[in-house]
Amino acid sequence: MHEQLVALFHCFRFIAGILEIIATYHFLAFFIESLHLRKIGVVLATLGGGLGWMLILMGRDQWLGSMPLEFYSPETFGFLGIYGLPHLALARAGLLWAILIYLRSLLDLGEIKLSNSIRMGLIWLVVSIAQPLTALVFGFVLGLHSISLAVWQGWRKFRFRDADWGLVKKSIRLIGYASVIPAPFIIYNAILFSKDTFLSRWTAQNLIISPHPMHYLVAYGFMIPFALIGGRRILRLRSWQGWLVASWVMAIPVLAYAPVNLQRRLPEGVWVALVILGMKAFDRVGGELPRSYKGRILLLLLACLPSSLILLSGGFFAASRPGLPLFRPVGEINAFEFIADEAKAGEVVLTSYQTGNALPAWAPLRVLIGHGPESVGLSELRPKVERFYGDQISDLERLSLIRDYDIGYVFRGPYEAALGDWNPAQADYLQPIYQSGGYEVYRVVQK
């Protein structure tokens, strides 16, 4: 089962990554004339990063309290999603394709086609399932575009006494029609996360806060001068379409520092919009790329790619030197497989935090602690678990923890042994059922 799950994960990873690359190309092609620039833009949008590699080389990997964004934030760029987070890659592919359907629908003359609304709504639903926050980002981007169009037309009305409100109305109607499909799922999730005790507590401790603003400047700053030139050009030549990517980029501070506990997730996809503006600085009608631009584009590539190369080389290095946490000891896996066959699906196993992080990948069982946000009440439970394996509490206290959390099995390996000298074999409420290679499994026989 474990090998099957690993194989399925990598199939998903490959397919989702390819879909994101294709969607990125289609999205860039809508705005950029030059075929050469489209290809370069895809490389930047999917493999590019910021200047954080300079901080790494200078030994400032924890500058202002955090690592450079491209090394841990898949939303800020794109490479990490393709490299190892397929649900995020799929969500971004859907995000870009749905926006593209929206833009092409606005290009159509006449009334909104029902087929376009349905396609857009179905992709919006897929995005909601893959990554609910990306679905909210999609709604935000389209809403922001409608507002931008309204402000633009208002300015035209004031300045030139000429405004076309039909496009604004069409935008609002299209968003409204398409939202009917994903709305039930989104509303259901909103209610569930507010009413369900586990999900609400999980959300409260799932803190994904944006780093110091200077990290975003390091991440995006080198692209900003090109984006300013490209932004002026796209707003002059393709005003209403250009406002979508321009307003999206301008909203980076609002998205990254919104008053929510998932701030860093919200700039999802904005790097693609920034790349479009940057490439537009070099784009020309007819698609021909002047020779004088090649040096500047090469400079962009040289600035963007080192971070991803560092990540790739780090992955190869880790894979070539087997060890924890990427590789697990054979004795531990044998114990995991034994308890997977022994216990009923969903039963609770008491382990240390480190063991609890790995065990569910081999056995369909629940652990008390093992994941940061998803171990609800982790700050309270972890000390209790560590005291359980120590020798400073009584068996009555251990039985109390077993009863409170309906624990069916107690696991003891090197991580658990490091927590204290307590010997579970001497407890009459535990029955030893497995012992091999420094790993032990006990069944709870008395609660």
Side-chain angles (χ1 to χ4, degrees):
M1 179 64 75
H2 179 76
E3 285 75 14
Q4 292 175 31
L5 291 172
V6 171
L8 286 171
F9 170 78
H10 285 293
C11 288
F12 181 25
R13 176 173 170 258
F14 177 79
I15 293 169
I18 294 297
L19 290 176
E20 181 183 337
I21 293 168
I22 295 172
T24 301
Y25 179 83
H26 288 166
F27 194 66
L28 267 66
F30 183 84
F31 294 96
I32 298 172
E33 299 283 342
S34 167
L35 182 64
H36 188 59
L37 283 177
R38 291 176 188 174
K39 294 177 180 178
I40 293 171
V42 170
V43 172
L44 289 172
T46 57
L47 302 181
L51 298 180
W53 57 272
M54 292 185 175
L55 294 174
I56 298 296
L57 293 180
M58 292 188 295
R60 305 293 299 275
D61 57 304
Q62 291 297 321
W63 184 58
L64 296 175
S66 63
M67 292 182 67
L69 280 159
E70 59 264 48
F71 292 99
Y72 71 100
S73 174
E75 299 82 11
T76 307
F77 290 99
F79 175 69
L80 282 176
I82 293 175
Y83 192 30
L85 297 163
H87 68 294
L88 298 184
L90 177 63
R92 180 171 296 189
L95 171 70
L96 298 179
W97 269 323
I99 294 176
L100 200 53
I101 293 171
Y102 163 80
L103 290 171
R104 287 174 176 167
S105 297
L106 293 183
L107 278 174
D108 292 339
L109 299 176
E111 290 298 315
I112 297 170
K113 294 180 180 178
L114 180 62
S115 59
N116 288 340
S117 299
I118 293 174
R119 285 167 57 216
M120 185 172 147
L122 288 173
I123 295 176
W124 198 346
L125 177 61
V126 171
V127 172
S128 303
I129 295 170
Q131 168 59 303
L133 278 175
T134 303
L136 298 180
V137 170
F138 175 62
F140 174 85
V141 171
L142 297 195
L144 188 63
H145 186 229
S146 293
I147 294 171
S148 300
L149 291 179
V151 172
W152 175 49
Q153 293 302 327
W155 179 82
R156 287 178 58 86
K157 179 70 174 177
F158 173 77
R159 184 73 182 271
F160 304 109
R161 305 295 179 186
D162 176 35
D164 180 12
W165 298 104
L167 194 63
V168 179
K169 295 176 182 177
K170 191 173 182 180
S171 168
I172 295 172
R173 288 201 304 271
L174 183 59
I175 297 169
Y177 296 160
S179 65
V180 171
I181 295 176
F185 183 80
I186 293 173
I187 293 171
Y188 168 78
N189 272 279
I191 294 173
L192 199 63
F193 273 80
S194 62
K195 299 295 185 182
D196 185 272
T197 304
F198 173 83
L199 290 176
S200 59
R201 291 190 65 189
W202 170 63
T203 303
Q205 66 183 33
N206 188 22
L207 301 176
I208 305 177
I209 305 300
S210 293
H212 192 283
M214 287 299 294
H215 273 285
Y216 280 100
L217 189 60
V218 170
Y220 296 148
F222 69 95
M223 186 68 81
I224 290 176
F226 301 101
L228 289 173
I229 298 170
R232 289 183 61 187
R233 182 167 292 161
I234 200 172
L235 290 176
R236 185 175 69 250
L237 299 176
R238 303 174 65 176
S239 298
W240 71 263
Q241 297 130 322
W243 273 115
L244 186 137
V245 287
S247 61
W248 195 0
V249 168
M250 288 188 287
I252 290 175
V254 176
L255 290 166
Y257 295 99
V260 296
N261 60 345
L262 298 173
Q263 292 175 333
R264 208 181 66 238
R265 297 279 191 231
L266 298 181
E268 166 61 43
V270 75
W271 171 240
V272 180
L274 194 59
V275 167
I276 288 172
L277 296 182
M279 292 296 96
K280 204 63 184 175
F282 304 101
D283 203 15
R284 289 292 183 271
V285 176
E288 291 296 327
L289 185 64
R291 185 171 299 178
S292 60
Y293 285 170
K294 291 183 178 179
R296 301 174 198 176
I297 294 172
L298 179 62
L299 180 64
L300 268 179
L301 288 170
L302 291 175
C304 283
L305 297 180
S307 293
S308 296
L309 290 174
I310 291 173
L311 285 166
L312 274 176
S313 60
F316 280 116
F317 180 77
S320 66
R321 296 168 63 90
L324 292 167
L326 298 186
F327 296 84
R328 313 300 302 187
V330 173
E332 181 185 67
I333 302 308
N334 290 336
F336 287 169
E337 291 177 341
F338 170 84
I339 199 170
D341 293 334
E342 172 70 22
K344 295 179 182 178
E347 287 196 270
V348 182
V349 183
L350 185 66
T351 70
S352 65
Y353 181 88
Q354 293 87 345
T355 304
N357 185 262
L359 189 150
W362 274 267
L365 303 170
R366 298 168 59 198
V367 293
L368 208 56
I369 59 174
H371 191 280
E374 292 178 12
S375 294
V376 169
L378 178 62
S379 59
E380 304 162 7
L381 285 175
R382 191 165 186 170
K384 292 181 180 180
V385 171
E386 291 174 353
R387 290 181 70 238
F388 184 97
Y389 286 102
D391 52 9
Q392 303 299 315
I393 66 172
S394 67
D395 281 342
L396 286 176
E397 292 176 276
R398 291 191 180 93
L399 279 168
S400 176
L401 185 72
I402 288 171
R403 283 192 296 267
D404 289 345
Y405 296 98
D406 196 25
I407 294 167
Y409 294 85
V410 174
F411 189 96
R412 190 173 190 270
Y415 287 119
E416 291 74 17
L419 297 175
D421 297 328
W422 173 64
N423 184 3
Q426 297 177 353
D428 59 5
Y429 48 89
L430 298 177
Q431 177 189 0
I433 56 174
Y434 180 89
Q435 185 173 8
S436 177
Y439 295 88
E440 303 166 7
V441 177
Y442 297 84
R443 181 191 293 116
V444 176
V445 294
Q446 175 188 339
K447 295 185 182 180

